[in-house]
Amino acid sequence: MGLGDITRAGVLAAVAECRHLGRETFRRRYGFGRAKTYELVWDGNSYDSKAIAGVAHLYSVGSLLSADDFSGGARTVAHRLRTLGFTVKDGATVADGSEQGAPQMVLQPRGGARDRGPQNFAKSVRQGVPIADIKDVLGGWADILTALYPDGIARLWGSTPTRQVNNEKVRALRDRRVGDDVFFYTENHFIARARILHLFDSLPVAREVWGTDEDNATWEHIMALGEVEEFPTRVPAAPILRRLTVPVPLRSLTLRSAEDYRRVAQLLPERRQPISPQPPTAHPAVSPRLTVTDLLDRIDSLDTHRRSEDRASSRHQSLALLWAVSRIAAGKPRLAPWSSFHREVDPLLAELGLADLKVVPGSPFWDLQDSGLWEVHGIESDSGFMPQAEVLDKARPVAGLTQASTELLQNPLTRLEAVVKLCSTYLDDVDQRALLSRVGLAGYATADGLLDEDEGDHGQEITDEDRATSPTARRESTSSRLVRNASIANEVKEMHGHACQVCETRLQYMRRPYSQAAHIRGLGSPHDGPDELPNLLCLCPNHHVLFDGLEIYIDVDDVVRRTHGGDSLGHLRRHVNHRIDEAYLQYHRTLCELSRLTKK
C-alpha cells in the first residue's frame, strides 16, 4: 500500500478533520511536522501536504502513512494530490510568503512578586491549567483548547488591558499572531520561550485562572501556549534588547518583527526541537459542543422507516451505527470507505434490517448524515437522495462517525451506553448476544471483557485411546497478557481481611486466608478499565464469578442485587480506607443492563 491507494474522498476527510482540530493539533495527533515545501490549498486554506496524505491513506484503506513512509519525498506527495484534482503550492510559492508567516518575537514581562508573576507563571505556564477546572467559564473556547491540548492541561498567559492608543503594548496586543514566539523576561534575563497556539479575550477565564490585581483588573487578553521550554541557564537580556532598540529594562509587552528576531537569534538558545517558519495556524471552528445527552438523544431519534400497518421498522441505521461503534472499541479509523461498508455491513442489513420495507441495503451509508452523528466525504447528491451503487463504486467515498461523536464514544461508559440505547430501542427482537459477537463487541458478555486467546482451551481434544496410553497432551503457545499490579490486589484483600464484601465469607486455602480481587470495570477489551484500588472489590470466588458474569450488581444505594429479577443479597460492606469510584460501579450496572437485554 502507498500513495496510489489514497482516494480523493480520503483527502477531503483528512482536510475536514484538520480544519476541525486545527493544523497544530492535527499534526501532533498523527506525528507529522510542518510542511517545508508543499502545501495543499482547499477552500482558501492551506494544509500540510504530507500530514493530509498520511491521514487520507488511513481513511482510504485503513492504515496511516507516517512521514517516513513517503520514500519519494514531498514531491511525490504533491504529484499524487494534484493527480486527484487538488491544488498544491510548490516550494517557491510557499517561500514567497515565508516572511509574512515567519514567527515574530513577543517580549513578555513575567511580573514581580507584587503582580504575583512568579506564582502565575508556575501555575498557568509551568504546571498548566486543567481544562476541566475552567470548563464552566470557557464557553465556546472549550472546543479549541480541548483540541489544542489532548492531555487536558492548557498552558495560558494573559495581559491586562490598556487605555493607551498606540503604545508598545497596544501594538503588541494588536499585531501578535498564532505561531509567534514568546520570550518571558524577569530581572533583566529571559527565562523561558513558548509558541502561541491560539489567542482569545475572556474576562471570566482570566478571573478564574489568575484572579484580579490591586486595581481589580485581570489578564484578559489570553495566549494559549505550546512548546514551552524554560532555559537551563537564564539568558542576559540587555544585549538582545539593545539590538532590538528596546529600552532596558523591559517594562511592557513588546513585539518585534520576524526580521528583528533573526538578527538576535544567535544570542538565544537553540530550540531543543528546531521548528521551521510557518504561516499562522488556522483556528478550529467553534461549534456547539456535542454532549453525551445529545449523542444518546440522536441515537434515540434515528429514522426507522416504519411500516404503517404493524408499526414494524427497519433496523438499517441502528445496525450501521452499532458497526461504527464497534470500530471505535477496536481502535479502528472512525471513517471507512464505501467498499468496506458494503462488504461488512450489507450482510447484516440484508439479514436483520427488514428488507421488505424496500430500503436499499446500503442506505445508512448516506442517510445517517441526518442524525448529526455521521459524515460522508467524496461525493455529493444534488437531490439529497443516496446516489446509485454504481456511482458510489466509482467515486469511492468514505463515511463514518463525526469527530465529535467519536471523541465521546472513546469513553468506555459512553460507548456502553450507546450500545445499550441501540439494543433496547431498535434491536430488542433479535439475538443481541450473537449480534454483538458478530460485529466485534463480544467483550460485553462479561465484566472482565475478552481474555487473551491462549487463556481458553483451544487445543485439540485427545481420544480415549490416547488418554489411556499417554500423559495429558501439551501444546505450545505464545502469551500476551494484561499485566496486573499484584501489590494493589494484595492491598484490597488485606484491607478487608480477606472477607468477601458481599457475603463476609473468609476462606482458608492451604492454611492461609484466600480471597480474590475483582475489577469493577474490567481490564479486558472493550472495557479498558484501570488497574487501581478504586476499581477493585475484595470477593470470594463465588461472588467474583457472579460479578464478572454479570449475574449480580451493586445499585446506587450499595445494595447487591441479582441482575435478573432484582433480588437483594444484602449491602456491600465498605471500608473507610477503601474508596470505590462510583463511575466504575455505574459502568458495571450499565453492563448488567445490557446483559438483561441480551438474555431475553
Side-chain angles (χ1 to χ4, degrees), residues 1 18 62 90 92 118 171 179 187 222 224 296 338 344 361 459 466 521:
M1 293 186 179
C18 183
D90 62 20
R171 290 192 292 272
E187 299 174 350
I222 301 174
L296 298 177
W338 159 249
E344 297 175 18
D466 290 335
R521 195 180 101 199

Coordinates of all heavy atoms in Angstrom, one line a residue, residues 1 18 62 90 92 118 171 179 187 222 224 296 338 344 361 459 466 521:
M1 N 0.8 -1.2 0.0 CA 0.0 0.0 0.0 C 0.9 1.3 0.0 O 2.0 1.2 0.6 CB -0.9 0.0 1.2 CG -2.0 -1.1 1.2 SD -3.1 -0.9 2.6 CE -4.2 -2.3 2.3
C18 N -8.6 18.1 9.9 CA -7.6 19.1 10.2 C -8.3 20.5 10.4 O -7.9 21.2 11.4 CB -6.6 19.2 9.0 SG -5.3 20.4 9.3
G62 N -7.4 2.3 5.6 CA -7.4 1.8 6.9 C -6.1 1.8 7.6 O -6.0 1.4 8.8
D90 N 3.8 24.9 -4.7 CA 5.2 24.3 -4.7 C 6.1 25.1 -3.8 O 5.7 26.1 -3.2 CB 5.7 24.2 -6.1 CG 5.9 25.6 -6.8 OD1 5.9 26.6 -6.1 OD2 5.9 25.6 -8.0
A92 N 8.5 27.2 -4.2 CA 8.7 28.7 -4.5 C 7.5 29.5 -4.0 O 7.7 30.5 -3.4 CB 8.9 28.9 -6.0
P118 N 5.6 35.4 39.6 CA 6.2 34.0 39.8 C 5.1 33.0 40.0 O 5.2 31.9 39.5 CB 7.1 34.2 41.0 CG 7.5 35.6 41.0 CD 6.2 36.3 40.6
R171 N 0.3 47.9 20.4 CA 0.8 47.3 19.1 C 1.0 45.9 19.2 O 0.7 45.1 18.3 CB 2.0 48.1 18.6 CG 1.8 49.5 18.1 CD 3.0 50.1 17.4 NE 4.1 50.3 18.3 CZ 4.3 51.4 19.0 NH1 3.4 52.4 18.9 NH2 5.4 51.5 19.8
G179 N 1.6 31.3 16.1 CA 2.9 31.0 15.5 C 4.0 31.8 16.0 O 5.2 31.4 15.8
E187 N 13.9 40.3 35.8 CA 15.2 40.6 36.4 C 16.3 40.7 35.4 O 17.4 40.1 35.6 CB 15.5 39.6 37.6 CG 14.5 39.6 38.7 CD 14.7 38.6 39.7 OE1 15.6 37.7 39.5 OE2 14.1 38.6 40.8
I222 N -5.6 36.7 26.4 CA -5.0 35.4 26.7 C -4.3 34.8 25.5 O -4.8 34.8 24.4 CB -6.1 34.5 27.3 CG1 -6.7 35.1 28.6 CG2 -5.5 33.1 27.6 CD1 -7.9 34.3 29.1
A224 N -2.8 31.1 24.4 CA -2.7 29.6 24.7 C -1.3 29.2 24.1 O -1.1 29.5 22.9 CB -3.8 28.9 24.0
L296 N -26.9 10.4 22.9 CA -27.9 9.4 23.1 C -29.3 9.8 22.6 O -30.0 9.0 22.1 CB -28.0 9.1 24.6 CG -26.7 8.5 25.2 CD1 -26.9 8.4 26.7 CD2 -26.3 7.2 24.6
W338 N -16.5 3.2 1.2 CA -17.8 2.6 0.8 C -17.6 1.1 0.6 O -18.5 0.3 1.0 CB -18.3 3.3 -0.5 CG -19.2 2.5 -1.3 CD1 -19.0 1.9 -2.5 CD2 -20.6 2.1 -0.9 NE1 -20.2 1.2 -2.9 CE2 -21.1 1.3 -2.0 CE3 -21.4 2.3 0.2 CZ2 -22.4 0.8 -1.9 CZ3 -22.7 1.8 0.3 CH2 -23.2 1.1 -0.8
E344 N -19.0 -5.3 4.8 CA -19.1 -5.7 6.2 C -20.5 -5.5 6.7 O -21.0 -6.2 7.6 CB -18.1 -5.0 7.0 CG -16.7 -5.3 6.7 CD -15.7 -4.4 7.5 OE1 -16.1 -3.9 8.5 OE2 -14.5 -4.3 7.1
P361 N -30.3 -1.7 0.9 CA -29.4 -2.2 2.0 C -28.3 -1.2 2.4 O -28.0 -1.0 3.6 CB -28.8 -3.4 1.4 CG -29.8 -3.9 0.4 CD -30.5 -2.7 -0.2
G459 N -7.1 -26.1 22.4 CA -6.3 -27.2 21.9 C -7.2 -28.3 21.4 O -8.4 -28.4 21.6
D466 N -5.8 -42.4 23.3 CA -4.6 -41.6 23.6 C -4.6 -41.3 25.1 O -3.5 -41.4 25.8 CB -4.6 -40.3 22.9 CG -4.4 -40.5 21.4 OD1 -3.8 -41.5 21.0 OD2 -4.9 -39.6 20.6
R521 N -14.7 -2.3 36.6 CA -14.7 -2.2 35.2 C -13.5 -2.9 34.7 O -12.4 -2.6 35.0 CB -14.6 -0.7 34.8 CG -14.9 -0.4 33.3 CD -14.8 1.1 33.0 NE -13.5 1.3 32.3 CZ -13.0 2.5 32.1 NH1 -13.5 3.5 32.7 NH2 -11.9 2.6 31.5

